[in-house]
Amino acid sequence: MKRQTIKVFEHDTLSIGQNGFKESHFKALVQFNERFGGQYLTPGFNKVKFASYVGVYQVGNLAMEVLPKADRGNDKEKWRNALLSMLHECQHIRLHSLQEAELRLRSASLIDLFFDAFLLQVEQLVHRGLTKAYRQDDENRSALKGKLLVDQQIRNNIVHRERFFVRHFLYNHDHTINRILKEALNILAKTAASPWIISRSKNLLLSFENVQDERISAQHFQRLTFCRKTEAYKTAVQLARLIILHHSPDISAGKESVLAILFDMNTLFEEYVFRILQRSKSAVEQ
């Protein structure tokens, strides 16, 4: 089914039956909003009111672009372009990354622009070669290889003396950062509406065959540190964070999956103004 895209402004109200917004979309959005503490929407009777978060929701095959609105006008293209400019200036999205043969700026959904930016980053990393890292592995083995963990050995192998509970370190591609990228790719391969995005995601997953699947949470990102070898991963991981943490999967038959890329408009605008002023200051000093 072809995806439909509708555009609304922050603080607008959208009712069931309006612009292709169905009851299934309404229920999925309400469930998504509850999962995040009710900060993105105010549900009403068969309607939702958007808060001061801009970006895009994908609910099944419906994409809802939430645009900023700073005047009384109703020119959605004007404010869509303004949002794209702010996101580009704040380095959340790179407009020049678009493949003109596949996506056109005016017709592409915002969600596809984000996905394209993420996939481009991962494609560049794969082209350079995915980074390896040391990973600690504690396991019960039939051979003594690595450091024997005495407490675990007594606890687990008091009867099976032929086994050894050991700790050893592996140096390979299977580490947290690559697992984060793989989780985001899996989400796109399963939930993206664009066949082009799905195809690129599946092709990239072939490069992550030796990386374990892991359910990624906010704690993974909080514990994450970068070094010289993984510095190039930063942009891809930032985009993966937006994809993973704002994904609400279809948990039962008949329900719509929700994937959202959202930004607090107040914070985004402050960052945008700060960057513009910084650039102007640098230009004057030169």
Side-chain angles (χ1 to χ4, degrees):
M1 185 184 296
K2 186 177 179 180
R3 181 177 57 204
Q4 179 184 359
T5 301
I6 60 177
K7 299 178 180 67
V8 298
F9 288 114
E10 54 176 330
H11 305 299
D12 270 1
T13 296
L14 186 63
S15 302
I16 293 176
Q18 182 181 354
N19 298 326
F21 186 60
K22 301 177 181 178
E23 184 179 0
S24 59
H25 302 140
F26 169 78
K27 289 181 177 178
L29 276 184
V30 170
Q31 184 182 42
F32 171 85
N33 191 51
E34 289 175 349
R35 178 185 168 194
F36 293 98
Q39 62 182 317
Y40 299 126
L41 306 161
T42 302
F45 179 68
N46 290 336
K47 64 183 180 182
V48 293
K49 182 177 181 181
F50 296 93
S52 58
Y53 285 85
V54 294
V56 58
Y57 297 88
Q58 178 180 291
V59 188
N61 284 304
L62 179 68
M64 288 171 284
E65 298 181 0
V66 186
L67 309 175
K69 188 175 183 181
D71 60 27
R72 296 185 180 181
N74 198 37
D75 188 345
K76 291 188 171 69
E77 284 305 314
K78 167 188 171 182
W79 288 107
R80 186 178 192 269
N81 291 335
L83 175 59
L84 287 170
S85 296
M86 284 188 281
L87 293 172
H88 178 62
E89 183 66 35
C90 297
Q91 300 181 5
H92 294 300
I93 190 169
R94 294 184 179 183
L95 299 183
H96 61 75
S97 71
L98 290 173
Q99 304 292 327
E100 290 296 332
E102 302 290 345
L103 293 173
R104 302 295 180 182
L105 182 59
R106 289 193 175 274
S107 61
S109 169
L110 279 177
I111 200 92
D112 285 339
L113 299 184
F114 282 108
F115 294 167
D116 177 72
F118 169 69
L119 292 174
L120 181 67
Q121 289 292 320
V122 179
E123 285 164 352
Q124 291 174 349
L125 291 170
V126 168
H127 180 73
R128 295 173 191 162
L130 294 177
T131 300
K132 293 182 178 181
Y134 284 102
R135 178 173 59 85
Q136 178 179 301
D137 194 15
D138 297 351
E139 61 178 344
N140 214 356
R141 301 171 61 95
S142 57
L144 179 58
K145 182 181 179 181
K147 178 183 178 182
L148 182 68
L149 302 177
V150 178
D151 290 343
Q152 288 89 333
Q153 175 72 12
I154 295 172
R155 189 180 307 118
N156 293 276
N157 295 328
I158 191 70
V159 175
H160 300 284
R161 307 253 176 136
E162 75 284 0
R163 301 192 64 80
F164 304 90
F165 208 103
V166 296
R167 171 174 295 166
H168 58 105
F169 292 89
L170 301 173
Y171 184 70
N172 56 28
H173 296 118
D174 187 20
H175 54 86
T176 300
I177 295 180
N178 283 336
R179 290 184 184 185
I180 286 172
L181 299 186
K182 185 177 184 180
E183 174 73 353
L185 289 170
N186 276 323
I187 290 172
L188 296 194
K190 294 174 184 176
T191 65
S194 165
W196 180 57
I197 296 295
I198 293 171
S199 175
R200 288 172 69 192
S201 301
K202 289 183 176 179
N203 285 338
L204 283 169
L205 281 168
L206 297 175
S207 300
F208 289 80
E209 286 183 329
N210 296 324
V211 177
Q212 288 188 35
D213 292 313
E214 184 174 357
R215 188 69 177 269
I216 304 298
S217 67
Q219 285 69 39
H220 286 83
F221 295 98
Q222 291 168 2
R223 295 193 299 261
L224 204 58
T225 57
F226 293 91
C227 62
R228 180 182 56 82
K229 290 175 60 179
T230 56
E231 187 71 20
Y233 277 74
K234 271 192 174 180
T235 301
V237 169
Q238 288 169 356
L239 291 166
R241 183 180 186 277
L242 291 171
I243 294 169
I244 294 169
L245 298 188
H246 281 159
H247 173 233
S248 181
D250 177 3
I251 57 175
S252 63
K255 290 191 176 181
E256 305 275 16
S257 295
V258 179
L259 183 56
I261 307 292
L262 300 168
F263 301 89
D264 184 316
M265 182 55 197
N266 298 320
T267 303
L268 179 64
F269 184 70
E270 287 175 4
E271 183 181 355
Y272 173 72
V273 172
F274 174 75
R275 286 177 178 269
I276 292 293
L277 293 175
Q278 257 197 338
R279 196 149 46 113
S280 299
K281 179 183 177 183
S282 299
V284 170
E285 290 175 347
Q286 289 176 359

